[in-house]
Structures are given as C-alpha cells and as structure tokens.
Amino acid sequence: MTQDKYQISGEDSLIARYFKPLATDPGAFGLVDDAAILRSAGEDIVVTTDAVVEGVHYLVTDPPDAIARKALRVNLSDLAAKGAVPAGFVLTLALRSKEDAWLRPFADALGEDAKSFACPLLGGDTVSTPGPQMVSITAFGRVPQGRMVGRTGAQPGDRILVTGTIGDAALGLDVLTGGAAAGALTSDPAARDFLVSRYHVPQPRNVLAQAVRDHATAAMDVSDGLAGDLTKLCAASGVSATVEVANVPLSAAAASLIARNAVCVETLLAGGDDYEVLCTVPPAQSDALIAAGRTAGLAVTAIGTIIEGGAPPRFLDGQGQELILKRLSYSHF
C-alpha cells in the first residue's frame, strides 16, 4: 500500500511538524502511538500537572516562546520541590488556529527547555478551541522509593527556607498591566525588564532537588503566593509558623519599590508566580541546604520557624508586630 493512500489529518500534520522532533525518548514512539512508556527501575514516579490559560496565567500579548517556557517550567518547579528528577512530560494544547508564526517559536522554545532540563516530550493531545487558548502539561519525575518530599512532614522547630527572591513575578505582571510598579519604574528600564522576565520565564530550582530530598521535612513550590502557600503547607502538616518579613529575600528592584512605598509588602507576599522552593528543614540540616544552594549559585534564605499549633502562620514586621494581610495568595475562585 503506497503512502498516498493514507490521509493525514490536520492534527497529525501539526504534531508531526512541530512536536515529533521533541519526542526524543524511545518511550514516546515518535508520537505515532496514543500512549507512551515511562520505565522505572526501583524508583517512585512523581506526577504533577499544571495548565496555563490565556488571560489567566499569561497575557494575550505574551510571546509564544515565553508561554511555552512558562508552561513547562511551572511543572518542573513542582518536581524540584518534591526532590524529583525530571523524566518527561505530556502536552495538551488547545489552539484557536495553527499559524506557524505562533507555533514555530512555541515549539522551538519548548524543545529547548525540554533538552535543557532533560525532560523530553512523551505525548499529548491537540484540540481546537474558539478561545481562550490553553496549554496543559503533565510532568513526570523520578525519586528513590519512599523519598518524595511532601507537605505533611514539617515539625515544630524546623526552619523555614525559601530559594531565590519573592514577589518579582507579581511586580512584572504589574508592570505589564500598567500598575503602580510600571509608573514607579518609568526611568529604570533595566528593573522593568528584570521584573517582566521573572513573570514571563520562571526559573525552576531543579538544581536543588537532591538537596531538598536529603534535608527537607516538607516542601512545595511557591506558585500562588508565599503567604498562602506556607499556610497550605502548615495546614497539611498540622503546625503553625512565624515568619520574619524583613528576612524574606527581595530582588534589588522589588526592595527599591518597597523602600519608595510604590508597592506594599502584601503584594510581594501574596502575589504568586514566584516558582521558588519553600521548605522546612531541621536546624541541624539547614546550613547544609543553604550551602548546597550557594554551591549551585542560588540563594537559599531562612525566613522563619515552624511552631506548634493549628493557627495560620504569623508574619511579623521588624518590630515584632504582626502584619495583618488582607490577602494571602492568588485564587482562581
């Protein structure tokens, strides 16, 4: 039977053109099957999924390469917080149209990140939609059996550590949407560009996955806001916490905006999209995790302590007074 007797659908053509080159793992079968194989030898497979929706997680004007990177990296961030090594991902893509001007940079950026983070495409689905567009990724990671770091292990006395800096992405979105940060940074294009890049392209902390696995009692990534995500972690572990807000790590751009009263600290604590690792570590091991970050060129900062009780975490200012936050995190509903 000659090949011209087979009819190739528009969906199959799109997959073959843009995404088959990304499916380098043998278990993906070149995307010609409707399933894949993910092999595991004495390991646990960690599964996480996140979707990014146009108008909710990214702006209509955001470039397609940034959308691709964000869609994969928010899932890689979850794997890092679980102490897992990336193994692969599946992609669901809901598109209004199949224009090359959008799909080519999207696929190229997705392929670059898949290679950079050693997380190959294994399969997925493409569908049409009248809008908004949506990118959903389910990522898989590997950990030694029984070693995944969950949210339930925090113990009184643990130190609360966080990677990187907090609040930059929320400020980047504020810049893009013409908020207070945009007005305050009109004469500082470098700061504007830095904050926007932190919103567009998260930096998942997979380089610290093993250190998190070796030292943390509980961990999660900061996606909806530091204050709200710490509250979730404490609730899952049945503990409470105190946080010294002055110790929360800020970028130079964010610190400048706070110092000028251009934005309030609640914006940074509750803004979301940080994709940093938040974890709890016994005091005797916290220095080891901080040192592992230093070796990797990544700041890891102690911001508070886990305490007994079921009350929500308390956020204390420089004078030890509790800050009453009107909002803890971003919420879809």
mmCIF file of all heavy atoms in Angstrom, residues 193-246:
data_model
loop_
_atom_site.group_PDB
_atom_site.id
_atom_site.type_symbol
_atom_site.label_atom_id
_atom_site.label_comp_id
_atom_site.label_asym_id
_atom_site.label_seq_id
_atom_site.Cartn_x
_atom_site.Cartn_y
_atom_site.Cartn_z
ATOM 1 N N ASP A 193 12.597 45.446 32.906
ATOM 2 C CA ASP A 193 12.867 44.244 32.108
ATOM 3 C C ASP A 193 13.126 43.034 33.004
ATOM 4 O O ASP A 193 12.684 41.916 32.694
ATOM 5 C CB ASP A 193 14.063 44.479 31.194
ATOM 6 C CG ASP A 193 13.765 45.459 30.072
ATOM 7 O OD1 ASP A 193 12.575 45.767 29.850
ATOM 8 O OD2 ASP A 193 14.731 45.915 29.421
ATOM 9 N N PHE A 194 13.848 43.248 34.098
ATOM 10 C CA PHE A 194 14.119 42.145 35.024
ATOM 11 C C PHE A 194 12.823 41.585 35.596
ATOM 12 O O PHE A 194 12.609 40.365 35.615
ATOM 13 C CB PHE A 194 15.032 42.621 36.156
ATOM 14 C CG PHE A 194 15.109 41.654 37.305
ATOM 15 C CD1 PHE A 194 15.887 40.515 37.209
ATOM 16 C CD2 PHE A 194 14.390 41.881 38.482
ATOM 17 C CE1 PHE A 194 15.949 39.605 38.271
ATOM 18 C CE2 PHE A 194 14.450 40.992 39.539
ATOM 19 C CZ PHE A 194 15.235 39.846 39.432
ATOM 20 N N LEU A 195 11.946 42.458 36.067
ATOM 21 C CA LEU A 195 10.700 42.001 36.683
ATOM 22 C C LEU A 195 9.797 41.315 35.666
ATOM 23 O O LEU A 195 9.182 40.285 35.961
ATOM 24 C CB LEU A 195 9.981 43.183 37.335
ATOM 25 C CG LEU A 195 10.711 43.834 38.518
ATOM 26 C CD1 LEU A 195 9.976 45.098 38.968
ATOM 27 C CD2 LEU A 195 10.855 42.861 39.683
ATOM 28 N N VAL A 196 9.720 41.866 34.460
ATOM 29 C CA VAL A 196 8.904 41.245 33.412
ATOM 30 C C VAL A 196 9.444 39.866 33.060
ATOM 31 O O VAL A 196 8.677 38.906 32.853
ATOM 32 C CB VAL A 196 8.837 42.161 32.175
ATOM 33 C CG1 VAL A 196 8.234 41.412 30.976
ATOM 34 C CG2 VAL A 196 8.011 43.407 32.483
ATOM 35 N N SER A 197 10.765 39.734 33.006
ATOM 36 C CA SER A 197 11.346 38.428 32.682
ATOM 37 C C SER A 197 11.041 37.399 33.773
ATOM 38 O O SER A 197 10.847 36.220 33.485
ATOM 39 C CB SER A 197 12.859 38.549 32.486
ATOM 40 O OG SER A 197 13.528 38.785 33.717
ATOM 41 N N ARG A 198 10.972 37.850 35.012
ATOM 42 C CA ARG A 198 10.641 36.936 36.103
ATOM 43 C C ARG A 198 9.189 36.471 36.014
ATOM 44 O O ARG A 198 8.849 35.362 36.446
ATOM 45 C CB ARG A 198 10.891 37.619 37.451
ATOM 46 C CG ARG A 198 12.352 37.778 37.794
ATOM 47 C CD ARG A 198 12.929 36.512 38.373
ATOM 48 N NE ARG A 198 12.544 36.374 39.782
ATOM 49 C CZ ARG A 198 12.510 35.219 40.437
ATOM 50 N NH1 ARG A 198 12.784 34.091 39.814
ATOM 51 N NH2 ARG A 198 12.157 35.192 41.708
ATOM 52 N N TYR A 199 8.326 37.301 35.444
ATOM 53 C CA TYR A 199 6.940 36.897 35.221
ATOM 54 C C TYR A 199 6.831 35.964 34.020
ATOM 55 O O TYR A 199 6.154 34.937 34.078
ATOM 56 C CB TYR A 199 6.053 38.126 35.009
ATOM 57 C CG TYR A 199 4.662 37.784 34.543
ATOM 58 C CD1 TYR A 199 3.742 37.203 35.423
ATOM 59 C CD2 TYR A 199 4.256 38.012 33.231
ATOM 60 C CE1 TYR A 199 2.465 36.863 34.992
ATOM 61 C CE2 TYR A 199 2.990 37.678 32.799
ATOM 62 C CZ TYR A 199 2.092 37.101 33.684
ATOM 63 O OH TYR A 199 0.838 36.760 33.252
ATOM 64 N N HIS A 200 7.498 36.328 32.933
ATOM 65 C CA HIS A 200 7.383 35.555 31.700
ATOM 66 C C HIS A 200 8.038 34.183 31.801
ATOM 67 O O HIS A 200 7.484 33.185 31.321
ATOM 68 C CB HIS A 200 8.009 36.318 30.534
ATOM 69 C CG HIS A 200 7.098 37.298 29.887
ATOM 70 N ND1 HIS A 200 7.553 38.412 29.212
ATOM 71 C CD2 HIS A 200 5.750 37.353 29.788
ATOM 72 C CE1 HIS A 200 6.530 39.100 28.743
ATOM 73 N NE2 HIS A 200 5.425 38.471 29.083
ATOM 74 N N VAL A 201 9.224 34.134 32.395
ATOM 75 C CA VAL A 201 10.024 32.906 32.353
ATOM 76 C C VAL A 201 10.469 32.502 33.756
ATOM 77 O O VAL A 201 11.502 32.971 34.241
ATOM 78 C CB VAL A 201 11.254 33.089 31.437
ATOM 79 C CG1 VAL A 201 12.007 31.764 31.297
ATOM 80 C CG2 VAL A 201 10.841 33.599 30.057
ATOM 81 N N PRO A 202 9.709 31.659 34.426
ATOM 82 C CA PRO A 202 10.108 31.183 35.757
ATOM 83 C C PRO A 202 11.443 30.437 35.699
ATOM 84 O O PRO A 202 11.841 29.921 34.643
ATOM 85 C CB PRO A 202 8.964 30.236 36.153
ATOM 86 C CG PRO A 202 7.825 30.610 35.272
ATOM 87 C CD PRO A 202 8.423 31.089 33.997
ATOM 88 N N GLN A 203 12.111 30.380 36.843
ATOM 89 C CA GLN A 203 13.389 29.670 36.954
ATOM 90 C C GLN A 203 13.233 28.510 37.942
ATOM 91 O O GLN A 203 13.496 28.662 39.134
ATOM 92 C CB GLN A 203 14.479 30.633 37.413
ATOM 93 C CG GLN A 203 14.703 31.823 36.508
ATOM 94 C CD GLN A 203 15.182 31.424 35.126
ATOM 95 O OE1 GLN A 203 15.968 30.490 34.976
ATOM 96 N NE2 GLN A 203 14.701 32.113 34.100
ATOM 97 N N PRO A 204 12.781 27.357 37.465
ATOM 98 C CA PRO A 204 12.583 26.233 38.396
ATOM 99 C C PRO A 204 13.907 25.812 39.016
ATOM 100 O O PRO A 204 14.946 25.813 38.363
ATOM 101 C CB PRO A 204 11.996 25.135 37.498
ATOM 102 C CG PRO A 204 12.457 25.480 36.116
ATOM 103 C CD PRO A 204 12.506 26.970 36.072
ATOM 104 N N ARG A 205 13.860 25.439 40.289
ATOM 105 C CA ARG A 205 15.085 25.188 41.049
ATOM 106 C C ARG A 205 15.438 23.706 41.092
ATOM 107 O O ARG A 205 15.763 23.141 42.141
ATOM 108 C CB ARG A 205 14.918 25.749 42.464
ATOM 109 C CG ARG A 205 14.538 27.230 42.511
ATOM 110 C CD ARG A 205 15.424 28.096 41.611
ATOM 111 N NE ARG A 205 15.162 29.537 41.806
ATOM 112 C CZ ARG A 205 15.792 30.497 41.149
ATOM 113 N NH1 ARG A 205 16.706 30.184 40.237
ATOM 114 N NH2 ARG A 205 15.512 31.770 41.397
ATOM 115 N N ASN A 206 15.428 23.070 39.920
ATOM 116 C CA ASN A 206 15.698 21.639 39.848
ATOM 117 C C ASN A 206 17.123 21.290 40.269
ATOM 118 O O ASN A 206 17.395 20.162 40.671
ATOM 119 C CB ASN A 206 15.419 21.131 38.437
ATOM 120 C CG ASN A 206 13.979 21.329 38.035
ATOM 121 O OD1 ASN A 206 13.619 22.398 37.544
ATOM 122 N ND2 ASN A 206 13.137 20.334 38.276
ATOM 123 N N VAL A 207 18.017 22.250 40.199
ATOM 124 C CA VAL A 207 19.394 22.016 40.618
ATOM 125 C C VAL A 207 19.469 21.674 42.103
ATOM 126 O O VAL A 207 20.443 21.043 42.552
ATOM 127 C CB VAL A 207 20.264 23.253 40.291
ATOM 128 C CG1 VAL A 207 19.874 24.447 41.150
ATOM 129 C CG2 VAL A 207 21.738 22.950 40.443
ATOM 130 N N LEU A 208 18.443 22.038 42.877
ATOM 131 C CA LEU A 208 18.439 21.762 44.320
ATOM 132 C C LEU A 208 17.573 20.564 44.695
ATOM 133 O O LEU A 208 17.347 20.316 45.886
ATOM 134 C CB LEU A 208 17.959 22.993 45.091
ATOM 135 C CG LEU A 208 18.987 24.070 45.418
ATOM 136 C CD1 LEU A 208 18.373 25.103 46.358
ATOM 137 C CD2 LEU A 208 20.236 23.481 46.036
ATOM 138 N N ALA A 209 17.078 19.822 43.719
ATOM 139 C CA ALA A 209 16.143 18.733 44.011
ATOM 140 C C ALA A 209 16.737 17.717 44.988
ATOM 141 O O ALA A 209 16.084 17.308 45.945
ATOM 142 C CB ALA A 209 15.708 18.045 42.722
ATOM 143 N N GLN A 210 17.972 17.305 44.761
ATOM 144 C CA GLN A 210 18.557 16.304 45.653
ATOM 145 C C GLN A 210 18.763 16.866 47.045
ATOM 146 O O GLN A 210 18.521 16.172 48.051
ATOM 147 C CB GLN A 210 19.878 15.787 45.105
ATOM 148 C CG GLN A 210 20.493 14.721 46.007
ATOM 149 C CD GLN A 210 21.722 14.076 45.425
ATOM 150 O OE1 GLN A 210 21.942 14.093 44.220
ATOM 151 N NE2 GLN A 210 22.552 13.486 46.287
ATOM 152 N N ALA A 211 19.197 18.115 47.151
ATOM 153 C CA ALA A 211 19.402 18.715 48.469
ATOM 154 C C ALA A 211 18.085 18.838 49.224
ATOM 155 O O ALA A 211 18.033 18.614 50.441
ATOM 156 C CB ALA A 211 20.068 20.080 48.323
ATOM 157 N N VAL A 212 17.011 19.188 48.518
ATOM 158 C CA VAL A 212 15.687 19.241 49.146
ATOM 159 C C VAL A 212 15.307 17.849 49.643
ATOM 160 O O VAL A 212 14.823 17.672 50.769
ATOM 161 C CB VAL A 212 14.645 19.789 48.156
ATOM 162 C CG1 VAL A 212 13.225 19.609 48.696
ATOM 163 C CG2 VAL A 212 14.907 21.268 47.860
ATOM 164 N N ARG A 213 15.532 16.854 48.810
ATOM 165 C CA ARG A 213 15.204 15.468 49.179
ATOM 166 C C ARG A 213 16.026 15.003 50.385
ATOM 167 O O ARG A 213 15.538 14.273 51.253
ATOM 168 C CB ARG A 213 15.460 14.558 47.981
ATOM 169 C CG ARG A 213 14.974 13.142 48.149
ATOM 170 C CD ARG A 213 15.053 12.389 46.827
ATOM 171 N NE ARG A 213 16.412 12.109 46.412
ATOM 172 C CZ ARG A 213 16.936 12.447 45.250
ATOM 173 N NH1 ARG A 213 16.226 13.131 44.375
ATOM 174 N NH2 ARG A 213 18.172 12.125 44.943
ATOM 175 N N ASP A 214 17.275 15.436 50.455
ATOM 176 C CA ASP A 214 18.159 14.977 51.526
ATOM 177 C C ASP A 214 17.902 15.672 52.858
ATOM 178 O O ASP A 214 18.169 15.091 53.921
ATOM 179 C CB ASP A 214 19.623 15.206 51.126
ATOM 180 C CG ASP A 214 20.092 14.250 50.030
ATOM 181 O OD1 ASP A 214 19.407 13.237 49.800
ATOM 182 O OD2 ASP A 214 21.138 14.539 49.411
ATOM 183 N N HIS A 215 17.389 16.905 52.819
ATOM 184 C CA HIS A 215 17.350 17.687 54.057
ATOM 185 C C HIS A 215 15.960 18.162 54.496
ATOM 186 O O HIS A 215 15.759 18.407 55.687
ATOM 187 C CB HIS A 215 18.257 18.910 53.913
ATOM 188 C CG HIS A 215 19.684 18.571 53.597
ATOM 189 N ND1 HIS A 215 20.486 17.881 54.482
ATOM 190 C CD2 HIS A 215 20.440 18.813 52.489
ATOM 191 C CE1 HIS A 215 21.691 17.712 53.934
ATOM 192 N NE2 HIS A 215 21.689 18.266 52.743
ATOM 193 N N ALA A 216 15.028 18.339 53.574
ATOM 194 C CA ALA A 216 13.746 18.953 53.920
ATOM 195 C C ALA A 216 12.777 17.944 54.526
ATOM 196 O O ALA A 216 12.729 16.779 54.117
ATOM 197 C CB ALA A 216 13.116 19.595 52.690
ATOM 198 N N THR A 217 12.005 18.412 55.502
ATOM 199 C CA THR A 217 10.929 17.590 56.066
ATOM 200 C C THR A 217 9.616 17.806 55.316
ATOM 201 O O THR A 217 8.748 16.932 55.306
ATOM 202 C CB THR A 217 10.722 17.938 57.550
ATOM 203 O OG1 THR A 217 10.475 19.351 57.682
ATOM 204 C CG2 THR A 217 11.937 17.561 58.371
ATOM 205 N N ALA A 218 9.456 18.961 54.703
ATOM 206 C CA ALA A 218 8.272 19.278 53.908
ATOM 207 C C ALA A 218 8.673 20.341 52.895
ATOM 208 O O ALA A 218 9.583 21.139 53.140
ATOM 209 C CB ALA A 218 7.124 19.783 54.777
ATOM 210 N N ALA A 219 8.004 20.341 51.739
ATOM 211 C CA ALA A 219 8.350 21.326 50.717
ATOM 212 C C ALA A 219 7.220 21.451 49.705
ATOM 213 O O ALA A 219 6.423 20.523 49.503
ATOM 214 C CB ALA A 219 9.644 20.933 49.990
ATOM 215 N N MET A 220 7.161 22.624 49.090
ATOM 216 C CA MET A 220 6.274 22.869 47.957
ATOM 217 C C MET A 220 6.841 24.051 47.195
ATOM 218 O O MET A 220 7.713 24.767 47.696
ATOM 219 C CB MET A 220 4.841 23.157 48.409
ATOM 220 C CG MET A 220 4.684 24.402 49.259
ATOM 221 S SD MET A 220 3.001 24.625 49.899
ATOM 222 C CE MET A 220 2.071 24.883 48.369
ATOM 223 N N ASP A 221 6.362 24.242 45.973
ATOM 224 C CA ASP A 221 6.839 25.422 45.267
ATOM 225 C C ASP A 221 5.869 26.575 45.506
ATOM 226 O O ASP A 221 4.687 26.376 45.796
ATOM 227 C CB ASP A 221 7.065 25.155 43.776
ATOM 228 C CG ASP A 221 5.790 25.132 42.957
ATOM 229 O OD1 ASP A 221 4.732 24.748 43.505
ATOM 230 O OD2 ASP A 221 5.836 25.484 41.768
ATOM 231 N N VAL A 222 6.408 27.787 45.440
ATOM 232 C CA VAL A 222 5.601 28.981 45.669
ATOM 233 C C VAL A 222 5.001 29.395 44.331
ATOM 234 O O VAL A 222 5.673 29.993 43.495
ATOM 235 C CB VAL A 222 6.452 30.125 46.260
ATOM 236 C CG1 VAL A 222 5.572 31.353 46.498
ATOM 237 C CG2 VAL A 222 7.116 29.692 47.549
ATOM 238 N N SER A 223 3.739 29.044 44.144
ATOM 239 C CA SER A 223 3.068 29.365 42.887
ATOM 240 C C SER A 223 1.963 30.397 43.070
ATOM 241 O O SER A 223 1.780 31.279 42.230
ATOM 242 C CB SER A 223 2.496 28.099 42.239
ATOM 243 O OG SER A 223 1.640 27.412 43.133
ATOM 244 N N ASP A 224 1.219 30.295 44.164
ATOM 245 C CA ASP A 224 0.086 31.197 44.378
ATOM 246 C C ASP A 224 0.407 32.361 45.316
ATOM 247 O O ASP A 224 -0.413 33.264 45.479
ATOM 248 C CB ASP A 224 -1.109 30.418 44.935
ATOM 249 C CG ASP A 224 -1.672 29.436 43.932
ATOM 250 O OD1 ASP A 224 -1.581 29.715 42.725
ATOM 251 O OD2 ASP A 224 -2.188 28.382 44.342
ATOM 252 N N GLY A 225 1.566 32.345 45.937
ATOM 253 C CA GLY A 225 1.952 33.400 46.878
ATOM 254 C C GLY A 225 2.572 32.797 48.111
ATOM 255 O O GLY A 225 2.075 31.794 48.638
ATOM 256 N N LEU A 226 3.674 33.375 48.589
ATOM 257 C CA LEU A 226 4.391 32.821 49.732
ATOM 258 C C LEU A 226 3.477 32.672 50.950
ATOM 259 O O LEU A 226 3.478 31.627 51.613
ATOM 260 C CB LEU A 226 5.586 33.720 50.079
ATOM 261 C CG LEU A 226 6.367 33.343 51.337
ATOM 262 C CD1 LEU A 226 7.054 31.999 51.159
ATOM 263 C CD2 LEU A 226 7.389 34.416 51.683
ATOM 264 N N ALA A 227 2.708 33.690 51.270
ATOM 265 C CA ALA A 227 1.876 33.649 52.474
ATOM 266 C C ALA A 227 0.841 32.528 52.386
ATOM 267 O O ALA A 227 0.665 31.742 53.324
ATOM 268 C CB ALA A 227 1.185 34.988 52.688
ATOM 269 N N GLY A 228 0.160 32.451 51.264
ATOM 270 C CA GLY A 228 -0.860 31.426 51.110
ATOM 271 C C GLY A 228 -0.294 30.031 51.004
ATOM 272 O O GLY A 228 -0.857 29.069 51.560
ATOM 273 N N ASP A 229 0.834 29.883 50.321
ATOM 274 C CA ASP A 229 1.411 28.550 50.164
ATOM 275 C C ASP A 229 2.000 28.041 51.476
ATOM 276 O O ASP A 229 1.898 26.853 51.785
ATOM 277 C CB ASP A 229 2.449 28.557 49.044
ATOM 278 C CG ASP A 229 1.802 28.641 47.668
ATOM 279 O OD1 ASP A 229 0.638 28.214 47.538
ATOM 280 O OD2 ASP A 229 2.446 29.136 46.734
ATOM 281 N N LEU A 230 2.601 28.917 52.267
ATOM 282 C CA LEU A 230 3.063 28.490 53.586
ATOM 283 C C LEU A 230 1.877 28.083 54.460
ATOM 284 O O LEU A 230 1.959 27.119 55.221
ATOM 285 C CB LEU A 230 3.864 29.604 54.263
ATOM 286 C CG LEU A 230 4.356 29.301 55.679
ATOM 287 C CD1 LEU A 230 5.260 28.076 55.709
ATOM 288 C CD2 LEU A 230 5.062 30.507 56.283
ATOM 289 N N THR A 231 0.778 28.799 54.338
ATOM 290 C CA THR A 231 -0.430 28.438 55.081
ATOM 291 C C THR A 231 -0.898 27.039 54.700
ATOM 292 O O THR A 231 -1.284 26.233 55.563
ATOM 293 C CB THR A 231 -1.542 29.467 54.829
ATOM 294 O OG1 THR A 231 -1.100 30.757 55.264
ATOM 295 C CG2 THR A 231 -2.820 29.102 55.572
ATOM 296 N N LYS A 232 -0.858 26.713 53.407
ATOM 297 C CA LYS A 232 -1.249 25.373 52.949
ATOM 298 C C LYS A 232 -0.320 24.307 53.525
ATOM 299 O O LYS A 232 -0.772 23.242 53.972
ATOM 300 C CB LYS A 232 -1.216 25.313 51.424
ATOM 301 C CG LYS A 232 -2.224 26.194 50.724
ATOM 302 C CD LYS A 232 -1.976 26.157 49.219
ATOM 303 C CE LYS A 232 -2.817 27.190 48.484
ATOM 304 N NZ LYS A 232 -2.496 27.250 47.035
ATOM 305 N N LEU A 233 0.990 24.584 53.492
ATOM 306 C CA LEU A 233 1.955 23.615 53.999
ATOM 307 C C LEU A 233 1.739 23.375 55.489
ATOM 308 O O LEU A 233 1.748 22.223 55.949
ATOM 309 C CB LEU A 233 3.378 24.106 53.707
ATOM 310 C CG LEU A 233 4.533 23.148 54.016
ATOM 311 C CD1 LEU A 233 5.717 23.396 53.087
ATOM 312 C CD2 LEU A 233 4.993 23.268 55.463
ATOM 313 N N CYS A 234 1.542 24.443 56.242
ATOM 314 C CA CYS A 234 1.323 24.292 57.683
ATOM 315 C C CYS A 234 0.049 23.511 57.969
ATOM 316 O O CYS A 234 0.014 22.655 58.878
ATOM 317 C CB CYS A 234 1.272 25.668 58.346
ATOM 318 S SG CYS A 234 2.880 26.489 58.482
ATOM 319 N N ALA A 235 -1.005 23.796 57.223
ATOM 320 C CA ALA A 235 -2.262 23.069 57.426
ATOM 321 C C ALA A 235 -2.084 21.585 57.151
ATOM 322 O O ALA A 235 -2.606 20.733 57.885
ATOM 323 C CB ALA A 235 -3.350 23.659 56.538
ATOM 324 N N ALA A 236 -1.346 21.261 56.094
ATOM 325 C CA ALA A 236 -1.127 19.852 55.755
ATOM 326 C C ALA A 236 -0.314 19.139 56.831
ATOM 327 O O ALA A 236 -0.519 17.952 57.090
ATOM 328 C CB ALA A 236 -0.423 19.747 54.406
ATOM 329 N N SER A 237 0.613 19.863 57.476
ATOM 330 C CA SER A 237 1.470 19.267 58.499
ATOM 331 C C SER A 237 0.890 19.373 59.904
ATOM 332 O O SER A 237 1.459 18.819 60.854
ATOM 333 C CB SER A 237 2.851 19.943 58.472
ATOM 334 O OG SER A 237 3.562 19.622 57.297
ATOM 335 N N GLY A 238 -0.202 20.118 60.067
ATOM 336 C CA GLY A 238 -0.793 20.288 61.385
ATOM 337 C C GLY A 238 0.051 21.130 62.321
ATOM 338 O O GLY A 238 0.110 20.873 63.526
ATOM 339 N N VAL A 239 0.711 22.158 61.764
ATOM 340 C CA VAL A 239 1.573 23.032 62.562
ATOM 341 C C VAL A 239 1.267 24.482 62.220
ATOM 342 O O VAL A 239 0.432 24.774 61.367
ATOM 343 C CB VAL A 239 3.071 22.741 62.287
ATOM 344 C CG1 VAL A 239 3.440 21.338 62.751
ATOM 345 C CG2 VAL A 239 3.398 22.927 60.791
ATOM 346 N N SER A 240 1.960 25.388 62.874
ATOM 347 C CA SER A 240 1.875 26.805 62.551
ATOM 348 C C SER A 240 3.289 27.323 62.294
ATOM 349 O O SER A 240 4.253 26.543 62.257
ATOM 350 C CB SER A 240 1.199 27.575 63.688
ATOM 351 O OG SER A 240 0.987 28.934 63.325
ATOM 352 N N ALA A 241 3.422 28.642 62.137
ATOM 353 C CA ALA A 241 4.731 29.205 61.814
ATOM 354 C C ALA A 241 4.771 30.681 62.150
ATOM 355 O O ALA A 241 3.738 31.349 62.224
ATOM 356 C CB ALA A 241 5.032 29.009 60.322
ATOM 357 N N THR A 242 5.980 31.162 62.354
ATOM 358 C CA THR A 242 6.216 32.601 62.404
ATOM 359 C C THR A 242 7.236 32.947 61.333
ATOM 360 O O THR A 242 8.221 32.217 61.132
ATOM 361 C CB THR A 242 6.751 33.049 63.778
ATOM 362 O OG1 THR A 242 7.964 32.348 64.080
ATOM 363 C CG2 THR A 242 5.729 32.800 64.863
ATOM 364 N N VAL A 243 6.987 34.042 60.632
ATOM 365 C CA VAL A 243 7.859 34.493 59.546
ATOM 366 C C VAL A 243 8.322 35.907 59.843
ATOM 367 O O VAL A 243 7.508 36.784 60.161
ATOM 368 C CB VAL A 243 7.125 34.458 58.190
ATOM 369 C CG1 VAL A 243 7.975 35.091 57.094
ATOM 370 C CG2 VAL A 243 6.753 33.029 57.824
ATOM 371 N N GLU A 244 9.624 36.135 59.774
ATOM 372 C CA GLU A 244 10.197 37.470 59.902
ATOM 373 C C GLU A 244 10.200 38.101 58.517
ATOM 374 O O GLU A 244 11.022 37.751 57.662
ATOM 375 C CB GLU A 244 11.625 37.387 60.457
ATOM 376 C CG GLU A 244 11.746 36.661 61.782
ATOM 377 C CD GLU A 244 11.099 37.424 62.922
ATOM 378 O OE1 GLU A 244 10.927 38.655 62.799
ATOM 379 O OE2 GLU A 244 10.756 36.793 63.944
ATOM 380 N N VAL A 245 9.263 38.992 58.274
ATOM 381 C CA VAL A 245 9.087 39.548 56.933
ATOM 382 C C VAL A 245 10.352 40.253 56.450
ATOM 383 O O VAL A 245 10.671 40.229 55.263
ATOM 384 C CB VAL A 245 7.873 40.496 56.902
ATOM 385 C CG1 VAL A 245 7.774 41.225 55.571
ATOM 386 C CG2 VAL A 245 6.593 39.702 57.171
ATOM 387 N N ALA A 246 11.106 40.847 57.370
ATOM 388 C CA ALA A 246 12.346 41.522 56.976
ATOM 389 C C ALA A 246 13.364 40.551 56.400
ATOM 390 O O ALA A 246 14.285 40.975 55.677
ATOM 391 C CB ALA A 246 12.946 42.243 58.183
#
